[in-house]
Short mmCIF file of all heavy atoms in Angstrom, two decimals:
data_model
loop_
_atom_site.label_atom_id
_atom_site.label_comp_id
_atom_site.label_asym_id
_atom_site.label_seq_id
_atom_site.Cartn_x
_atom_site.Cartn_y
_atom_site.Cartn_z
N VAL B 702 45.89 159.00 86.07
CA VAL B 702 45.96 158.21 87.23
C VAL B 702 45.51 156.75 86.93
O VAL B 702 44.41 156.51 86.28
CB VAL B 702 45.04 158.64 88.39
CG1 VAL B 702 45.03 157.78 89.57
CG2 VAL B 702 45.38 160.12 88.72
N GLU B 703 46.36 155.71 87.23
CA GLU B 703 46.01 154.35 86.94
C GLU B 703 45.84 153.67 88.21
O GLU B 703 46.68 153.88 89.15
CB GLU B 703 47.10 153.75 86.20
CG GLU B 703 47.19 154.05 84.69
CD GLU B 703 48.28 153.29 83.97
OE1 GLU B 703 48.77 152.35 84.59
OE2 GLU B 703 48.64 153.66 82.82
N LEU B 704 44.82 152.86 88.36
CA LEU B 704 44.49 152.20 89.60
C LEU B 704 44.54 150.60 89.32
O LEU B 704 43.78 150.21 88.48
CB LEU B 704 43.22 152.59 90.11
CG LEU B 704 42.78 151.96 91.47
CD1 LEU B 704 43.68 152.41 92.59
CD2 LEU B 704 41.28 152.37 91.85
N SER B 705 45.34 149.95 90.05
CA SER B 705 45.41 148.50 89.88
C SER B 705 44.60 147.74 90.96
O SER B 705 44.28 146.73 90.78
CB SER B 705 46.84 148.09 89.82
OG SER B 705 47.50 148.36 91.06
N GLU B 706 44.47 148.40 92.11
CA GLU B 706 43.94 147.73 93.21
C GLU B 706 43.31 148.76 94.22
O GLU B 706 43.91 149.81 94.39
CB GLU B 706 44.96 146.93 93.98
CG GLU B 706 44.36 145.97 95.09
CD GLU B 706 45.54 145.08 95.62
OE1 GLU B 706 46.33 144.45 94.90
OE2 GLU B 706 45.76 145.06 96.89
N GLY B 707 42.28 148.38 94.75
CA GLY B 707 41.60 149.20 95.77
C GLY B 707 40.70 150.25 95.09
O GLY B 707 40.31 150.09 93.95
N VAL B 708 40.52 151.30 95.84
CA VAL B 708 39.73 152.41 95.35
C VAL B 708 40.32 153.66 95.67
O VAL B 708 40.94 153.83 96.79
CB VAL B 708 38.23 152.43 95.99
CG1 VAL B 708 37.50 153.61 95.73
CG2 VAL B 708 37.57 151.02 95.79
N VAL B 709 40.31 154.60 94.73
CA VAL B 709 40.86 155.92 95.05
C VAL B 709 39.83 156.89 94.52
O VAL B 709 38.98 156.65 93.70
CB VAL B 709 42.17 156.22 94.25
CG1 VAL B 709 43.21 155.25 94.75
CG2 VAL B 709 42.04 156.16 92.78
N VAL B 710 39.94 158.10 95.09
CA VAL B 710 39.00 159.18 94.83
C VAL B 710 39.85 160.21 94.10
O VAL B 710 40.88 160.68 94.61
CB VAL B 710 38.37 159.79 96.01
CG1 VAL B 710 37.47 160.99 95.63
CG2 VAL B 710 37.62 158.75 96.79
N VAL B 711 39.52 160.53 92.87
CA VAL B 711 40.27 161.55 92.11
C VAL B 711 39.37 162.73 91.85
O VAL B 711 38.16 162.50 91.78
CB VAL B 711 40.73 160.89 90.77
CG1 VAL B 711 41.76 159.74 91.04
CG2 VAL B 711 39.61 160.47 89.85
N GLY B 712 40.01 163.84 91.70
CA GLY B 712 39.20 164.96 91.47
C GLY B 712 40.17 166.17 91.20
O GLY B 712 41.39 166.10 91.16
N TYR B 713 39.48 167.41 90.95
CA TYR B 713 40.19 168.58 90.80
C TYR B 713 40.41 169.36 92.08
O TYR B 713 39.44 169.29 92.91
CB TYR B 713 39.54 169.48 89.73
CG TYR B 713 39.65 168.91 88.33
CD1 TYR B 713 38.56 168.24 87.72
CD2 TYR B 713 40.82 169.02 87.55
CE1 TYR B 713 38.65 167.73 86.48
CE2 TYR B 713 40.84 168.48 86.30
CZ TYR B 713 39.72 167.90 85.79
OH TYR B 713 39.94 167.32 84.47
N LEU B 714 41.41 170.05 92.28
CA LEU B 714 41.68 170.72 93.48
C LEU B 714 40.85 171.96 93.54
O LEU B 714 40.34 172.40 94.62
CB LEU B 714 43.15 171.15 93.44
CG LEU B 714 44.18 170.12 93.82
CD1 LEU B 714 45.63 170.58 93.55
CD2 LEU B 714 44.05 169.64 95.27
N GLN B 715 40.55 172.58 92.39
CA GLN B 715 39.89 173.82 92.38
C GLN B 715 38.33 173.77 92.55
O GLN B 715 37.82 174.31 93.50
CB GLN B 715 40.18 174.66 91.09
CG GLN B 715 41.61 174.91 90.81
CD GLN B 715 42.25 175.67 91.99
OE1 GLN B 715 41.49 176.65 92.52
NE2 GLN B 715 43.47 175.51 92.31
N ASN B 716 37.81 172.97 91.72
CA ASN B 716 36.26 172.90 91.74
C ASN B 716 35.73 171.90 92.65
O ASN B 716 34.54 171.80 92.90
CB ASN B 716 35.70 172.73 90.32
CG ASN B 716 36.10 171.41 89.72
OD1 ASN B 716 36.55 170.46 90.42
ND2 ASN B 716 36.04 171.31 88.44
N GLY B 717 36.55 170.92 93.20
CA GLY B 717 36.12 170.12 94.28
C GLY B 717 35.43 168.92 93.71
O GLY B 717 34.96 167.99 94.53
N GLY B 718 35.15 168.70 92.41
CA GLY B 718 34.44 167.64 91.94
C GLY B 718 35.33 166.44 92.09
O GLY B 718 36.48 166.35 91.62
N LYS B 719 34.83 165.33 92.59
CA LYS B 719 35.61 164.08 92.77
C LYS B 719 34.82 162.88 92.30
O LYS B 719 33.59 162.88 92.36
CB LYS B 719 35.95 163.90 94.26
CG LYS B 719 36.94 165.04 94.72
CD LYS B 719 37.42 164.88 96.13
CE LYS B 719 38.30 165.95 96.64
NZ LYS B 719 37.83 167.30 96.38
N ILE B 720 35.51 161.80 91.87
CA ILE B 720 34.86 160.58 91.56
C ILE B 720 35.66 159.45 92.09
O ILE B 720 36.92 159.54 92.34
CB ILE B 720 34.65 160.36 90.01
CG1 ILE B 720 36.00 160.35 89.32
CG2 ILE B 720 33.76 161.54 89.41
CD1 ILE B 720 35.99 159.86 87.89
N ASP B 721 34.95 158.32 92.33
CA ASP B 721 35.72 157.14 92.75
C ASP B 721 36.33 156.35 91.52
O ASP B 721 35.52 156.12 90.64
CB ASP B 721 34.86 156.15 93.50
CG ASP B 721 34.31 156.81 94.81
OD1 ASP B 721 35.04 157.78 95.28
OD2 ASP B 721 33.31 156.30 95.45
N LEU B 722 37.61 156.08 91.61
CA LEU B 722 38.22 155.29 90.57
C LEU B 722 38.31 153.82 91.01
O LEU B 722 38.75 153.59 92.18
CB LEU B 722 39.60 155.87 90.17
CG LEU B 722 40.29 155.42 88.93
CD1 LEU B 722 39.50 155.79 87.79
CD2 LEU B 722 41.71 155.90 88.82
#
Side-chain angles (χ1 to χ4, degrees):
Chain B
V702 179
E703 286 183 12
L704 180 65
S705 64
E706 187 177 309
V708 177
V709 299
V710 178
V711 297
Y713 289 104
L714 288 167
Q715 299 298 328
N716 61 19
K719 296 180 177 52
I720 63 169
D721 292 342
L722 192 66

